[in-house]
Amino acid sequence: MNTKYALITGASRGIGKAIAIKLAAELNYNILLNYASNDEAAKETMSLIMAENVSCTLLKFDVANAAQTTEILVEWMELNKEAKIEVLVNNAGITRDGLFMWMKPEDWNSVINTSLNGFYNVTQPLLKDMLTSRFGRIINIVSLSGLKGNPGQVNYSAAKGAVIAATKALAQEIGKRNVTVNAVAPGFINSDM
């Protein structure tokens, strides 16, 4: 029985969907597919993943909601004690673009909460098991905006830049236990977002 799992956040569409399908098809990982709201897209992606002869479990939660995220992840781990989440792809993200001068607090907070706090909310509950198993792969999907900045995206650039810095620091903390932490910064690509 295959007990290897990969959790991909924001995986019902776009980059997350493509990553989930590749991990299933090429590395034979069972997929934990996180999404926040689009049930139809999540079920469609689930069908594509299951066509690769692996299991796919839908985990509907908002990564920005710490309590909800922890509750669902801990519950899944308790029900699946034999399973090992070996790969975590922190892909969930949103944009609320606008010039900083006129940016509303809710546009600032929602982007920071999803990208930066979402990274913490999902990674933290899974880390102990990865360290105990002495194996794990954490991949953070960031953005060129986090590296060079982008006008009209101060909130997005700040969030992704912070995740880049957190990636570097966490990699130094846990790399010696064979748990790697990397960031991938795609530019503009042809996807839903």
Side-chain angles (χ1 to χ4, degrees):
M1 180 177 167
N2 181 1
T3 60
K4 298 186 328 180
Y5 284 81
L7 168 61
I8 303 92
T9 66
S12 63
R13 305 179 293 121
I15 293 174
K17 174 182 178 178
I19 291 169
I21 292 169
K22 282 287 187 187
L23 285 170
E26 295 183 10
L27 296 176
N28 201 38
Y29 274 101
N30 296 306
I31 302 298
L32 299 176
L33 190 149
N34 162 257
Y35 69 106
S37 60
N38 193 334
D39 295 319
E40 187 176 315
K43 288 176 185 170
E44 183 181 307
T45 301
M46 179 184 188
S47 296
L48 294 171
I49 290 165
M50 292 179 76
E52 300 297 336
N53 296 315
V54 298
S55 74
C56 180
T57 304
L58 300 180
L59 297 179
K60 185 176 183 178
F61 62 88
D62 179 357
V63 300
N65 183 326
Q68 181 187 53
T69 300
T70 300
E71 178 185 339
I72 288 174
L73 291 177
V74 168
E75 179 183 323
W76 186 88
M77 289 186 289
E78 286 175 359
L79 292 172
N80 298 278
K81 291 190 185 300
E82 77 292 344
K84 290 287 178 205
I85 299 175
E86 292 185 349
V87 176
L88 167 60
V89 181
N90 287 302
N91 172 69
I94 60 169
T95 56
R96 297 289 183 269
D97 295 350
L99 295 177
F100 186 73
M101 183 170 145
W102 292 296
M103 187 170 288
K104 295 179 177 91
E106 55 270 21
D107 290 341
W108 175 268
N109 291 329
S110 63
V111 171
I112 298 294
N113 285 337
T114 299
S115 290
L116 180 57
N117 295 340
F119 154 76
Y120 173 84
N121 294 340
V122 177
T123 305
Q124 217 275 334
L126 303 180
L127 198 52
K128 184 180 177 188
D129 282 350
M130 287 182 176
L131 293 172
T132 302
S133 299
R134 298 186 74 83
F135 184 82
R137 300 292 177 256
I138 300 169
I139 301 110
N140 299 316
I141 305 300
V142 293
S143 170
L144 293 176
S145 293
L147 291 167
K148 65 178 187 63
N150 201 29
Q153 289 192 318
V154 174
N155 51 1
Y156 189 72
S157 297
K160 294 299 186 176
V163 173
I164 292 168
T167 298
K168 293 175 184 179
L170 185 57
Q172 292 175 58
E173 280 185 23
I174 64 176
K176 61 184 161 259
R177 299 207 42 125
N178 200 29
V179 179
T180 61
V181 190
N182 290 282
V184 177
F188 290 108
I189 63 159
N190 187 17
S191 76
D192 294 353
M193 188 172 164

